[in-house]
Amino acid sequence: MSARKPTLALIGATGAVGTVMRDIISTREDVYGEIKLVASARSAGKVLQVRGEDVVVQELTPEVFDGVDIAIFDVPDEVSAVWVPIAAERGAVAIDKSGTFRMNPDVPLVVPEVNPETVRNRPLGIVSTPNCTTLSMMAAMGALHEQYGLRELVVASYQAVSGAGVAGSARLYDEVEALAGDRTVGQTAGDVRKALQNKLGDEESPFPAPVAFNVVPWAGSLKDGGWASEEIKLRNESRKILGIDDLKVSATCVRVPVITTHSLAVHATFEREITVADAHRILEAAPTVVVMDDPANGVFPTPADVVGTDPTYVGRIRQALDFPNTLDLFVCGDNLRKGAALNAAEIAELVAAELAG
């Protein structure tokens, strides 16, 4: 007699990442029995498609987790703090995308290409998935670290506005529409702000500065020492995922006028000598990494070329001129797919295989 397929619940199924999650679940191997779509009371009753079937969205209540084996959460931190433990207490393996539990020592922080074995060590019944910025580089860094021993990372991120949710994408579209056709804007200090104020008025923005015709050196909330929360997350999460407690990391996170796909310029120092040829060999063998590295012919990853796809793309691989055992490279990854939904889906598949015995 075949084993029962696990029941999956997607919490936050109507959001930007939830929409991508439904698409991913529908196109990957079907390892689930029932799939429940769960959201706030405001969205309950909506009918959405998953696996080609119409499914009614249920309200987030304790009872919704009855009979659920795996629950994937894509909700704000404060919602996860309340509801993830409830799901775990009612018997589900809770896979949480928020930052609430990432640094809890009793919660594994999992990237299936890097540390899949840690998913089984979940004393609280909770598994966490990293921030989308960290995830954009982790498959590549994990593969290189395994053979050459990563010691230091200096990273500058170029983060898409969809990392701030639906409101982030909507704001960039609004700003572009407001400025379109005006070839005088962007010529003098403050004219972009003034033009947006004239066209959009006091319309709320998730960003502290205009993002159209601009870059904003800020992502997240303010932390000690002037650091942004995204920068601290990248440091702490990289250490935990790679198992390097003393990994030296410094990051500057920048928001750019791109809808979806984060990019990172990475300066990586290793314990042992590593060449560009070594990096090509390792990264080309990594199953979820695509190497695009022929700058003489204009071949390197850009968000416009890789958005909507699942791999991590790596290019501009160079031997650092003044730093031993160091490579400089450029990484792109769709922040709504691998940076969010896909990693959680891959973790859920690991758990499903474990439950199947």
Side-chain angles (χ1 to χ4, degrees):
M1 187 174 182
S2 60
R4 177 183 69 87
K5 288 186 175 181
T7 294
L8 174 70
L10 302 180
I11 297 87
T14 59
V17 175
T19 301
V20 175
M21 179 67 75
R22 287 187 283 113
D23 174 64
I24 287 173
I25 294 296
S26 300
T27 54
R28 291 176 68 84
E29 181 182 357
D30 188 1
V31 298
Y32 305 108
E34 181 185 0
I35 294 181
K36 294 184 177 183
L37 303 181
V38 183
S40 66
R42 183 177 64 254
S43 297
K46 288 184 177 179
V47 178
L48 302 174
Q49 278 221 335
V50 63
R51 296 188 300 186
E53 303 172 2
D54 289 336
V55 178
V56 177
V57 176
Q58 300 181 47
E59 181 179 354
L60 180 58
T61 65
E63 292 73 27
V64 83
F65 298 106
D66 291 345
V68 170
D69 301 291
I70 304 169
I72 299 177
F73 284 80
D74 179 48
V75 295
D77 289 12
E78 61 273 16
V79 179
S80 282
V82 174
W83 288 99
V84 166
I86 291 173
E89 288 165 5
R90 295 181 89 93
V93 176
I95 300 169
D96 182 40
K97 282 194 64 285
S98 82
T100 307
F101 301 97
R102 285 178 187 149
M103 301 315 298
N104 186 316
D106 291 325
V107 175
L109 185 62
V110 179
V111 178
E113 297 96 324
V114 181
N115 61 346
E117 70 287 347
T118 62
V119 77
R120 293 176 175 266
N121 181 24
R122 47 175 195 271
L124 301 182
I126 301 169
V127 180
S128 197
T129 183
N131 174 268
C132 55
T133 313
T134 307
L135 272 170
S136 295
M137 67 172 181
M138 198 45 60
M141 290 299 101
L144 294 172
H145 167 64
E146 185 176 7
Q147 294 198 35
Y148 286 91
L150 186 64
R151 297 307 306 155
E152 300 177 11
L153 279 174
V154 180
V155 179
S157 72
Y158 308 88
Q159 295 181 216
V161 295
S162 58
V166 173
S169 299
R171 179 65 188 188
L172 178 55
Y173 282 126
D174 288 345
E175 290 187 6
V176 169
E177 185 176 353
L179 300 175
D182 185 350
R183 296 198 176 192
T184 67
V185 76
Q187 309 275 346
T188 59
D191 66 355
V192 172
R193 286 184 186 269
K194 184 177 179 180
L196 292 175
Q197 177 66 33
N198 289 338
K199 292 291 185 68
L200 301 178
D202 294 326
E203 181 180 307
E204 187 173 351
S205 172
F207 309 114
V211 69
F213 291 12
N214 203 20
V215 297
V216 183
W218 191 259
S221 57
L222 180 63
K223 298 299 180 183
D224 291 345
W227 292 95
S229 58
E230 291 274 310
E231 296 158 353
I232 300 300
K233 289 175 187 177
L234 192 148
R235 175 178 182 262
N236 293 340
E237 292 171 17
S238 295
R239 288 178 163 189
K240 185 172 180 178
I241 295 162
L242 295 169
I244 314 172
D245 292 341
D246 60 348
L247 179 66
K248 295 180 179 180
V249 182
S250 187
T252 300
C253 291
V254 181
R255 195 74 69 179
V256 297
V258 169
I259 295 295
T260 299
T261 295
H262 288 350
S263 304
L264 295 88
V266 180
H267 178 87
T269 298
F270 298 87
E271 293 176 353
R272 295 177 290 282
E273 182 179 354
I274 182 171
T275 67
V276 171
D278 293 330
H280 272 259
R281 171 178 52 80
I282 292 167
L283 295 175
E284 287 167 358
T288 63
V289 175
V290 174
V291 177
M292 298 176 65
D293 192 24
D294 184 8
N297 291 300
V299 177
F300 34 70
T302 73
D305 294 321
V306 308
V307 62
T309 64
D310 292 338
T312 296
Y313 294 81
V314 184
R316 298 296 322 281
I317 305 172
R318 292 150 286 151
Q319 195 94 47
L321 297 178
D322 300 313
F323 302 88
N325 303 344
T326 300
L327 295 177
D328 287 290
L329 47 90
F330 193 75
V331 183
C332 287
D334 186 312
N335 55 293
L336 298 184
R337 294 187 71 85
K338 180 55 184 174
L342 179 59
N343 197 72
E346 290 171 335
I347 294 170
E349 290 168 2
L350 291 176
V351 175
E354 175 192 336
L355 295 177

